[in-house]
Structures are given as structure tokens and as C-alpha cells.
Amino acid sequence: MDGKTVWNGEAIIADALGRAPDIQLGADHDGWRLCRWRQFVGSYTLPALPDPIFVVHIAGKPTVRTWERDGWSESSSFPGCATIVPSGQPTGWLVDGELDVVTLSIGSADLRRAPAADRFKRMRFAFSDPLGVALTRQVLGELYNPSTPERDVYVSALVNALQAHMLRGPLGAEAREIPTTAFSAYRLHQVMNAILQHPEDEHSLEEMAAQAGVTPSHFCRIFKKANGVSPHQYVIKARLGRAQELLSSSDTPLSVIADSLGFTSQSHFARAFRHHTGRTPSAFRRRN
């Protein structure tokens, strides 16, 4: 890099990855920059960025890990998760296949005024953020429509909402539950976190809807709107993500993995795994 050139975070990411973003919106004078990045395969190191970025994992393979002090993280990111990368901290990434993410960066001046500014001083990897994901998907959906003055105003309003959501601080485990029986984003967080923590459980539609405080049909609609997949598909993805961890780190027989993760049989597990990753469980284990 030219030491005389001031690089923004998006230019640094593009340089590290060897390609420009698929979509870039906003500029320094707007106070934010939004980009879509796709088709990264392998492991790479990202230099320290001048501003923190909010990363929304919208599609692609489910196994994305970050480098921690002694190795790759045990937890992984998959579609529906969000990550905060702080400024001034180099990061390492391991991607097993195609990745599709959107990044939103905000200038330091705006960040200093944010109520949740302290949250951007440390790495927060792969946390559940249904509202951030839903807003991001809506922005992308509009950007692929023909440009009109009305569309541009709407996109700007959506990005402003996403920016406000980011600066307020995405709700996480520390959020307090609102005492109401109506549906809330936090209740959806609760359901998603329960799936990620215990993918082997049954997670029936009726139980998840009851936890969210809505009917099963309404739960299906709001869940898919937030994550892009049905509740059942989300559970399967979580189970297969855990299966990849077991295949990579142990010699546990396939039949035991299938049974422990709630699949009806080893053949059911193998079909789902191959459909999801393009490889059989045995081939995945040999490669890793």
C-alpha cells in the first residue's frame, strides 16, 4: 500500500481479497459505506481497519471461522449471523466455500456519538441479529430493482435504519426481555440462540412459535423474513454446522453423529449433508 494514501476499510478489504465488492453504496461524505462481498474461498488475513464494520452474513456456506489467540474459533458464522470487527485489530478468517456478506462501516465521528460505542471496541463474532439481517436483505432487494428517485429515497431510509440499529447496538444475550406477550425481535433471538446452542434438540415448530409468543403460521413468516430460510431449514443448517465440527475434530462414527444430532438415520444425515455441502460426510472428513 502507498503510505501517502488514506485507505478506507472497503479499499483495505478489496486489497486483501484481490477483488472489488459486488455492490458499493455511500461514501465518506454520507457518513457510511455499505458493500456486498461474495465468493471468497480459503483462509485470509484482514489488516486492521480505520473504522469498525458491521458484517451481516446473508448467504453461502455455513462454516466461517475467525482466528483467535491459539487457533480457529470453535464457533462458526452462517447465514443469519452478524459480526462486529473493531477498528485497529487485524483479523483472520477461514471460509469453507462460498461466502456472501454485507458490510456497513460508519465514520469515527458518528460512532463517537453512538450510545453503544463501547461495543465496537472489541470483536463480536457470529451473534444472532434478525433485525439487522432483515434490514440488510431489504436493502439488497431494492438495489437490484431499477433505479428511480423513489427507490433511491427508500434505499437511503433503509440504510439509515440499519445504521441506527448498528449504532444503538444489536440486541444480544445481555438484552432484557420486554414484558409483553406480543412478538419481539428479542424473542426471535431467544429461539435462534436455543437452536445454535442445542441443534440436536427437536425444536418443533409448535414449541418455537410458543416461545416467540405467536401462532406457528405467523412464526414461519416472520422467521423466514428475518433469516431467508424456514425454521426447519435453520435447524438443519445448525445441525450440519455442528456435524462439520465433529467430523473435523473427532473420529466419532457417522452413525453416532447422525443419532446425536437428531437425524432419523445415517442415510438421512448423509443426504442432508451432501445436499448442504456438496460432499459426503466421509469425503468432508478425509479432506479435513
Side-chain angles (χ1 to χ4, degrees):
M1 296 183 184
D2 182 359
K4 298 180 181 179
T5 302
V6 177
W7 288 63
N8 62 32
E10 290 68 27
I12 293 173
I13 295 173
D15 184 66
L17 299 173
R19 58 168 293 164
D22 283 34
I23 291 177
Q24 185 165 356
L25 188 66
D28 290 335
H29 59 77
D30 294 322
W32 52 264
R33 293 178 302 277
L34 182 142
C35 296
R36 183 182 190 179
W37 312 82
R38 290 193 291 182
Q39 297 179 348
F40 310 146
V41 179
S43 61
Y44 55 92
T45 299
L46 190 64
L49 303 176
D51 298 312
I53 61 171
F54 183 63
V55 185
V56 180
H57 192 165
I58 58 172
K61 294 291 185 178
T63 307
V64 177
R65 302 181 190 277
T66 187
W67 184 261
E68 297 179 338
R69 286 184 298 178
D70 301 319
W72 296 112
S73 60
E74 293 186 5
S75 60
S76 61
S77 178
F78 58 86
C81 292
T83 293
I84 290 175
V85 179
S87 62
Q89 177 180 324
T91 52
W93 303 90
L94 180 65
V95 180
D96 181 21
E98 181 184 5
L99 176 66
D100 193 341
V101 299
V102 170
T103 60
L104 176 66
S105 61
I106 297 178
S108 301
D110 290 318
L111 186 61
R112 283 195 295 269
R113 295 193 294 268
D118 288 345
R119 300 189 184 191
F120 296 90
K121 294 180 180 179
R122 61 182 178 87
M123 183 81 164
R124 295 188 65 208
F125 177 64
F127 57 90
S128 171
D129 187 12
L131 179 56
V133 172
L135 287 170
T136 302
R137 289 183 181 277
Q138 189 66 29
V139 170
L140 289 182
E142 292 298 327
L143 288 179
Y144 285 103
N145 287 328
S147 178
T148 65
E150 294 78 12
R151 188 215 68 166
D152 294 343
V153 170
Y154 184 48
V155 167
S156 179
L158 288 171
V159 175
N160 286 335
L162 181 60
Q163 176 183 348
H165 170 69
M166 172 186 175
L167 293 176
R168 184 193 65 174
L171 295 178
E174 71 276 14
R176 294 181 180 179
E177 183 173 7
I178 299 173
T180 175
T181 57
F183 173 77
S184 70
Y186 177 65
R187 290 179 181 271
L188 186 55
H189 286 187
Q190 290 280 77
V191 174
M192 294 171 65
N193 287 335
I195 295 172
L196 295 178
Q197 291 169 10
H198 299 286
E200 70 281 359
D201 291 351
E202 182 179 354
H203 299 295
S204 71
L205 177 60
E206 290 74 18
E207 290 175 349
M208 291 187 287
Q211 186 176 356
V214 295
T215 65
S217 60
H218 185 52
F219 178 76
C220 284
R221 289 194 295 271
I222 58 179
F223 192 98
K224 189 166 185 177
K225 183 177 180 180
N227 296 289
V229 297
S230 69
H232 176 71
Q233 290 170 323
Y234 192 90
V235 172
I236 295 298
K237 283 189 174 184
R239 289 177 177 176
L240 293 174
R242 183 66 58 82
Q244 288 178 321
E245 295 176 6
L246 294 172
L247 290 169
S248 300
S249 61
S250 73
D251 295 324
T252 306
L254 300 185
S255 59
V256 175
I257 292 177
D259 183 65
S260 66
L261 290 176
F263 291 94
T264 56
S265 65
Q266 183 177 333
S267 60
H268 176 213
F269 165 57
R271 286 195 304 272
F273 193 93
R274 185 167 186 173
H275 176 76
H276 191 66
T277 67
R279 287 179 284 172
T280 65
S282 299
F284 180 89
R285 171 171 277 169
R286 286 195 299 270
R287 181 176 173 181
N288 291 273

